[in-house]
């Protein structure tokens, strides 16, 4: 129990305490904070007031930074120590923050009064394709059920390099991209006509590895800083025309939205489960002896003219490769990971019609319209707002991300 | 004419003056310099000695930085002003540097005594595929001459997002990557058996564009900082197994080698030519009214046990899309480019057997062995050294990159 009120349905329970960077009207510089209930604890202010002790005090200047990279670079055990310290500080019987009115004034903010910023400087962003049902559904759409999964799919976590510069945070608008599409005999330049979303979770890297030094799968979890929810916006018509033979490019590079609060890997650890669809007989460098998946409930809502429609309810356990497997595969060649690198999971679809992670799957590539109250949709229309949510754990102890929101604005005229 | 000796075959003539970052034994910090002949001019030292004047003095602290990003961010006209200032400083009749012995001691180094470093902090790296002959040759190998070029190829500059973290400079070794390959009925983990090189040039971005704001093709050249030579190392067997449907990933992410000296865009401008193979009838957003290509002679040499074999002589005019077209296409969706982003051209092959830019093409994917003196090769073997060179211009006025060298080291045992 905390001395601060925490709603039992809050994704930011005492068991979570995600880290982010924020600014306020009165203090417009960016610094690090922790979210708890409807509050933000200013870690930079805690440091200024001398609240951190010993080793934790020595390194607490990382919280004055405009990103979490320096904090993440301290490594996962250190990150966890800070999380547990803040947890202790918030307990009902700890007077340090509770009874220091000056410190409370300086270090506690209302969550809805702060301005959040991109939590990490992202060097490289890789998007994987580990949602087996998604890969299968897309394969069926384009190649039929016989050849739905490519021959490599169950042997390695398929992925591609994405565009780091266009990663943005929840709440920032998404302009409908213009691009080259080919609906007829010759290509045209047009605002995207098949604008889609993808429900994903994503991991940030903390400890880097040197070029030429693969990360063995047994050590991979040491390199995971934490998790966010991610919407990998996708222009399906641009993608269809461009992606053979070198993969998605312009169809994915205009925007990718993540939640601003990073749930530390150790906070998510209690929710490990075995992935029911995990492939068997993997090569040793990808063989993981512990549970690789997470039991995280996920939802997709679509807000149209003020009305919210539930499109989907899925779960992260549908990912058939773990982030440890992604790290081991990504680095098996010697590829260096850096602090702040982002790994997207791939779209997370369940097996049922109401558990899909993209409109591509929900509408069979636009062939089946969805009825939503008085309106209908195949792909996203201007002013539509997509809201992802995700949380693990029971009421009163939720470990969640907060909403991942993006609203579509009309394409810029060229 | 300069008061410094410049060999007539030097790629670093007075007409070039490329920028890079370096350190020396006595002064181990990284700072910016300009290459001329077999010398390096220390720009940070020039600034300390008050050599820059006016506006150029105001901004010269960019040269104390460990990368050229701050310099590039000043913008192309400013970059050019500094280049012309240094050129003037080196002229035979200018006493400022020539007659100041203390300044000369401080500001002039031997090129072969300095340690070069990665010139830019690279946020994102995109590799294009604009070498038309290369795309055709690869298409013939895998699909036959009828369908060699994909339907999209002549309508847009095909590209994919690459791995920024693994870009390194000439001289750094390249470990043969381990990876998943599928030579038989089931995949195995193995050191790459088809290790290849790719002859490319690459451009760095100076001025960024905000997310949602495409760069029109008429303005695209304002965003090009300069050029380097690039070897896009490629693991063909890993690539063959992984690349469908999301493109090359592990096959390209272990290393990409560039030259450390950036030839400014304005230094390369005199060598503009019309690309003979440029596609016609492009959409307006890709239509360029000036010459898009560059007449840059390129060579590939392979050094085996101390003996050097010429593998290829090609030219950058075989690129059928320009860097301006790449920029316009990359950003048409609103994708933000940042200072320091790297654009690879794609492999540059001529039409003849002795003008190819990859071993894949030279040996028809390993089917035809190349005889090189007393040895033969299909793909690269351990300890092989690949040496790319490239220069435009006539003897005495060469504008070149210096060598792009990478030596293959045996795969690390796992
Ligand atoms: Ca995705
Ligand atoms: Ca390439
Ligand atoms: Mg994206
Ligand atoms: Mg490469
Ligand atoms: Ni990047």
């Amino acid at each position: 129990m905390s001395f601060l009120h925490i709603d039992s349905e809050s994704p930011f329970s005492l068991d979570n305490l995600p880290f982010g960077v924020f600014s306020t009207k009165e203090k417009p510089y960016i610094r690090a904070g922790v979210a708890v209930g409807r509050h933000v604890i200013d870690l930079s202010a805690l440091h200024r007031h001398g609240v951190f002790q010993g080793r934790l005090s020595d390194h607490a200047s990382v919280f004055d930074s405009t990103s979490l990279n320096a904090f993440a670079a301290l490594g996962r055990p250190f990150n966890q120590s800070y999380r547990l310290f803040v947890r202790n500080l918030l307990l009902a019987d700890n007077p340090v923050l509770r009874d220091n009115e000056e410190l409370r004034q300086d270090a506690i903010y209302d969550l809805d009064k702060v301005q959040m910023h991109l939590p990490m400087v992202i060097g490289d962003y890789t998007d994987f394709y580990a949602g087996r049902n998604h890969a299968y559904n897309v394969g069926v759409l384009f190649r039929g059920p016989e050849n739905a999964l490519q021959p490599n799919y169950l042997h390695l976590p398929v992925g591609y390099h994405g565009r780091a510069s266009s990663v943005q945070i929840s709440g920032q608008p998404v302009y409908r991209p213009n691009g080259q599409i080919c609906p007829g005999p010759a290509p045209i330049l047009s605002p995207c006509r098949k604008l889609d979303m993808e429900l994903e979770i994503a991991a940030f890297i903390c400890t880097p590895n040197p070029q030429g030094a693969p990360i063995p799968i047994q050590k991979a979890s040491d390199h995971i800083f934490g998790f966010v929810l991610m919407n990998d916006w996708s222009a399906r018509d641009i993608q269809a025309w461009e992606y053979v033979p070198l993969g998605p490019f312009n169809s994915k590079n205009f925007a990718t939205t993540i939640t601003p609060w990073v749930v530390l890997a150790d906070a998510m650890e209690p929710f490990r489960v075995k992935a029911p669809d995990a492939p068997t007989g993997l090569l040793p460098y990808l063989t993981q002896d512990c549970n690789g998946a997470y039991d995280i409930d996920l939802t997709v809502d679509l807000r149209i003219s003020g009305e919210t429609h539930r499109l989907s309810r899925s779960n992260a356990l549908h990912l058939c490769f773990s982030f440890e497997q992604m790290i081991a595969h990504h680095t098996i060649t010697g590829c260096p990971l850096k602090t702040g690198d982002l790994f997207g999971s791939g779209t997370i679809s369940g097996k049922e019609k109401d558990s899909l992670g993209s409109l591509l799957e929900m509408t069979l590539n636009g062939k089946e319209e969805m009825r939503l109250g008085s309106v209908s949709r195949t792909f996203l229309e201007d002013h539509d707002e997509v809201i992802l949510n995700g949380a693990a754990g029971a009421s009163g102890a939720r470990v969640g991300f907060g909403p991942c929101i993006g609203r579509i604005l009309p394409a810029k005229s060229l």
Side-chain angles (χ1 to χ4, degrees), chain A residues 352-371:
Chain A
E352 318 301 324
K353 185 83 186 154
D354 58 356
S355 67
L356 303 173
S358 68
L359 299 178
L360 177 71
E361 296 163 85
M362 296 178 202
T363 68
L364 304 177
N365 195 16
K367 277 196 278 294
E368 283 192 9
E369 240 178 21
M370 290 187 295
R371 209 59 234 163

Side-chain angles (χ1 to χ4, degrees), chain A residues 122-125 162-165 341:
Chain A
I122 303 169
D124 278 293
Y125 151 48
R163 180 75 197 179
S165 72
D341 285 351

Side-chain angles (χ1 to χ4, degrees), chain A residues 91-112:
Chain A
L91 292 179
D93 57 2
N94 186 336
V96 173
L97 176 58
R98 187 192 66 197
D99 299 347
N100 184 335
E101 193 49 39
E102 196 198 327
L103 179 58
R104 291 182 66 137
Q105 286 296 330
D106 241 30
I108 306 180
Y109 290 93
D110 279 1
L111 185 63
D112 53 13

